[in-house]
Amino acid sequence: MKNIMNLDQGVIKALEFFDKNKLPKLNLNRFAFPIVVGSGNAYNTGQILFSGKKAIIADESTFKKTIENYKDLINKKIIKEAIVISASGEKDSVWEIELAKKYKLKTILLTCSPDSSSSKIADEVITYPKIAEPYTYNVSTYLGMILSATNENPKSILNFLKKLKIKSGFKNYSSYAMVLPDDFIAITPMIDIKKSELFGSKISLRAFSFGHARHAKFVIRDKKELVITLGKEKNLYFGETQSRWQIELPNKVDFAFILCLTYYLVGQIQKNKPAYFKNNIKNYCQDYGPKAYGNNKPFDIIVPGSINN
């Protein structure tokens, strides 16, 4: 388990992979008004992909209610498609596709697993390449989907990260917070998910858009919390003055850039703290993780990548 790569390494490897491997093009304009459903970071990926489009976003807990609530628009053919996002093409995505079909919606699956259970029943499957990664990381899986829509250059993102100088004393902080430009609010729950997966209750890691940060998120200041602010809008109020780090961004960035940068920073925290994830992921994958789905078959600790990876 000690040889499992940290999240920052996963970001670098994913960008290097996409710099050399072609992605399918995802033309979002072809979808007029879809229902988009995904679990965990697949849900957040759906929010990112359709942030500038008309769409209804749901997850495994809300999909049944959502599809029932919009039944009249489905019957009137205003809503014609259900887009299911699932890296594995298993778990909840299977019943989500089956339910969408009952409502006579065309089902489009975005996945990294062309031979999955969901791939076999979806009307259309868009398959993305990926690298081998530790279970839960899903850097390359969803990054590939985002890149296929934003058309950002992986090499440019990679160059920025390799030149980034980490703030002096970074490892000495006991908690961390990130403040992102408002346009990238959909990234903040993805950071929160990584906090739960990698640190649990051991380390505080918070993430807000600039607008949300103003809403009493920093009533309690602590010099041991490093507040990392991205972008040109200066942080003059959040966190103790000596515990702020402003990272200037290039003039034009998009979601893949922000996702890679924030995940890279989470990985920097991970490698400078005790190995909480590495010490627990084996037991999770072999025991209570799959059992929560009613399955005794262990999860892969290292999820395989594409054949050409």
Side-chain angles (χ1 to χ4, degrees):
M1 295 300 101
K2 291 181 180 179
N3 293 326
I4 289 179
M5 64 182 173
N6 291 319
L7 191 65
D8 57 320
Q9 296 170 294
V11 171
I12 297 299
K13 288 181 178 293
L15 288 169
E16 290 174 341
F17 176 74
F18 289 128
D19 185 44
K20 298 175 182 177
N21 291 270
K22 188 176 181 180
L23 285 164
K25 296 295 183 183
L26 182 59
N27 179 14
L28 299 178
N29 292 327
R30 58 179 282 211
F31 307 116
F33 189 25
I35 296 178
V36 183
V37 59
S39 303
N41 271 334
Y43 170 85
N44 297 317
T45 299
Q47 285 196 310
I48 288 170
L49 294 177
F50 289 89
S51 61
K53 303 290 180 182
K54 286 188 293 185
I56 300 160
I57 315 294
D59 64 15
E60 70 275 28
S61 296
T62 63
F63 184 50
K64 291 178 182 178
K65 187 67 174 177
T66 299
I67 204 167
E68 179 64 23
N69 287 346
Y70 287 92
K71 182 169 60 175
D72 57 333
L73 297 185
I74 295 172
N75 291 336
K76 293 176 182 178
K77 303 298 181 182
I78 295 173
I79 297 175
K80 301 177 182 179
E81 301 145 327
I83 300 171
V84 178
I85 303 175
S86 173
S88 67
E90 301 292 346
K91 301 175 184 173
D92 293 295
S93 64
V94 180
W95 70 259
E96 289 163 353
I97 290 176
E98 291 173 344
L99 180 61
K101 281 178 168 290
K102 287 182 180 179
Y103 282 79
K104 301 189 184 307
L105 292 169
K106 180 181 178 181
T107 54
I108 299 101
L109 174 68
L110 308 187
T111 187
C112 299
S113 306
D115 299 320
S116 65
S117 301
S118 290
S119 296
K120 295 173 183 176
I121 61 174
D123 296 313
E124 180 182 348
V125 180
I126 302 175
T127 305
Y128 292 86
K130 64 186 178 82
I131 65 172
E133 299 175 292
Y135 186 83
T136 81
Y137 274 27
N138 277 324
V139 179
S140 63
T141 53
Y142 300 127
L143 176 59
M145 296 177 189
I146 295 169
L147 285 169
S148 74
T150 63
N151 297 311
E152 294 167 79
N153 186 344
K155 190 73 171 181
S156 297
I157 303 173
L158 191 61
N159 289 339
F160 181 91
L161 295 180
K162 288 184 175 180
K163 293 177 182 177
L164 181 66
K165 293 183 179 180
I166 303 300
K167 179 180 172 63
S168 176
F170 181 88
K171 65 181 181 181
N172 297 327
Y173 291 91
S174 59
S175 57
Y176 301 81
M178 296 186 192
V179 180
L180 280 56
D182 288 329
D183 287 347
F184 300 106
I185 188 174
I187 298 288
T188 59
M190 301 183 81
I191 300 169
D192 185 64
I193 287 175
K194 283 290 164 275
K195 177 265 177 190
S196 295
E197 292 171 347
L198 300 182
F199 308 125
S201 62
K202 303 295 185 180
I203 294 176
S204 173
L205 171 61
R206 309 187 296 153
F208 312 105
S209 66
F210 219 100
H212 280 192
R214 291 193 290 267
H215 285 267
K217 300 303 190 296
F218 292 92
V219 171
I220 302 168
R221 291 184 174 187
D222 187 343
K223 65 181 181 181
K224 293 183 179 180
E225 180 183 53
L226 178 62
V227 180
I228 307 167
T229 305
L230 310 185
K232 292 181 170 57
E233 189 170 1
K234 299 297 182 183
N235 173 14
L236 302 176
Y237 311 106
F238 311 137
E240 294 289 356
T241 304
Q242 70 272 30
S243 301
R244 298 172 188 167
W245 178 20
Q246 187 92 25
I247 301 178
E248 295 287 343
L249 303 177
N251 289 330
K252 190 175 182 180
V253 297
D254 214 323
F255 279 103
F257 183 101
I258 300 297
L259 179 65
C260 289
L261 174 54
T262 54
Y263 271 21
Y264 182 82
L265 294 171
V266 173
Q268 293 295 312
I269 299 170
Q270 185 186 14
K271 78 176 187 180
N272 282 293
K273 300 299 179 183
Y276 301 119
F277 176 83
K278 297 177 185 180
N279 291 339
N280 289 278
I281 188 60
K282 181 178 180 180
N283 189 35
Y284 174 84
C285 287
Q286 295 184 348
D287 186 12
Y288 52 92
K291 287 179 180 177
Y293 287 92
N295 188 356
N296 289 320
K297 182 181 178 182
F299 294 150
D300 290 324
I301 297 173
I302 304 297
V303 183
S306 302
I307 293 175
N308 62 341
N309 172 229

